[in-house]
Amino acid sequence: MTNTHPAIRVSEIFGPTIQGEGVLIGLPTIFVRTGGCDYRCSWCDSLHAVDNQFRHEWEMMSVGAVWKNVLALSGGRPLMVSLSGGNPAIQPLGALIDRGHGDGYRFALETQGSLARDWFARLDVLILSPKPPSSQMTTDWAAVEACLQAAQGKPQVVLKLIVFDERDYTYAKDAAAQFPQLPIYLQPGNHTPPHPTNDDAPVDLDGILKRMEWLVDSVTRDRWFEARVLPQLHVVLWGNKRAV
Ligand code: SF4
């Protein structure tokens, strides 16, 4: 049966580690990072899974082959599988989710919300992370809304917004106003993202934490009590290192 499903373009599969950000922060997980993205954010921290020049590192894998990797890494003990990218919504992930659910695993997917898929309704957690002005991308809010509709109220859906500056903060507030029913997570961006061929490049943790402090001050000043402000835990722990 598995072989009849379309192949998935995979950049890397790694773990178990912990989820470093958002609603699942701290939770043990295996990452399945797909290759390819319809965006090019100015501060992308995953260019090795975005830029076509790294396509030779990506592999077309069957659902069975991806699942075999996840089983081996997790020792067959069910846990949360994080589907990320790139934009994982580009890939046909429905059959993988079904396969994993059959073994008792759970699935979270993070996307910028540019492409809605009917299999979003089979996820356990959907993280919508529209990109703010500092990314130099333009948000299609109708597409974000379509993603929410595709989920059909089944998975837990949350908003995650990266904030670098005042404009991003205003954008996050606008997003929260558009989707008041969704929990919202804010995180300071990493202005020193890894170079795709050098994940040893130093990270300006002091600068990131200063921005986090500013973000906390802004949220409390504005009495924005629905927002949660979190760091990227993996950046705090491991800097720009990949696959940790
Ligand atoms: S949407 Fe995400 S993966 Fe795609 S370019 Fe932007 S930050 Fe990178």
Side-chain angles (χ1 to χ4, degrees), residues 3-243:
N3 291 338
T4 62
H5 298 301
I8 299 165
R9 192 164 60 213
V10 175
S11 164
E12 56 189 352
I13 303 175
F14 62 91
T17 180
I18 54 165
Q19 173 55 254
E21 38 188 78
V23 60
L24 300 175
I25 193 165
L27 187 72
T29 191
I30 302 284
F31 278 90
V32 176
R33 188 188 297 287
T34 61
C37 189
D38 46 327
Y39 273 26
R40 288 291 180 280
C41 299
S42 60
W43 33 250
C44 179
D45 59 3
S46 310
L47 275 177
H48 62 290
V50 168
D51 199 318
N52 270 332
Q53 68 170 300
F54 300 100
R55 218 182 166 93
H56 62 279
E57 295 178 5
W58 307 343
E59 196 182 334
M60 294 304 293
M61 296 176 74
S62 67
V63 169
V66 173
W67 196 242
K68 204 170 151 191
N69 270 265
V70 173
L71 286 175
L73 289 169
S74 60
R77 286 192 53 193
L79 79 173
M80 183 67 76
V81 178
S82 296
L83 304 169
S84 75
N87 183 1
I90 293 174
Q91 300 301 316
L93 298 175
L96 179 70
I97 294 165
D98 294 344
R99 176 71 181 267
H101 277 161
D103 286 343
Y105 288 67
R106 301 175 75 229
F107 288 83
L109 176 137
E110 176 171 330
T111 176
Q112 64 265 45
S114 54
L115 300 165
R117 298 295 184 216
D118 57 3
W119 47 261
F120 283 178
R122 280 133 71 191
L123 289 162
D124 298 280
V125 185
L126 173 62
I127 299 124
L128 295 175
S129 184
K131 302 307 175 194
S134 63
S135 70
Q136 293 172 22
M137 296 290 114
T138 304
T139 302
D140 177 351
W141 289 108
V144 179
E145 173 65 34
C147 290
L148 186 57
Q149 293 306 321
Q152 295 176 38
K154 290 178 182 160
Q156 179 185 14
V157 183
V158 301
L159 279 178
K160 192 189 85 179
L161 277 303
I162 295 165
V163 179
F164 278 87
D165 53 29
E166 286 286 355
R167 279 181 76 208
D168 290 358
Y169 181 72
T170 303
Y171 172 96
K173 283 196 133 180
D174 290 348
Q178 286 193 62
F179 300 100
Q181 72 277 38
L182 300 183
I184 184 160
Y185 292 80
L186 306 179
Q187 76 183 37
N190 177 4
H191 56 283
T192 48
H195 186 276
T197 58
N198 175 20
D199 68 359
D200 273 340
V203 82
D204 177 18
L205 197 53
D206 285 349
I208 293 171
L209 293 179
K210 272 202 189 87
R211 191 175 308 108
M212 172 136 182
E213 216 178 307
W214 162 76
L215 201 44
V216 171
D217 287 346
S218 303
V219 163
T220 50
R221 176 200 64 208
D222 293 347
R223 305 256 184 283
W224 188 7
F225 298 145
E226 296 78 22
R228 294 185 198 197
V229 184
L230 290 174
Q232 286 181 298
L233 193 49
H234 55 285
V235 174
V236 173
L237 290 173
W238 299 300
N240 279 328
K241 209 160 181 48
R242 250 168 79 174

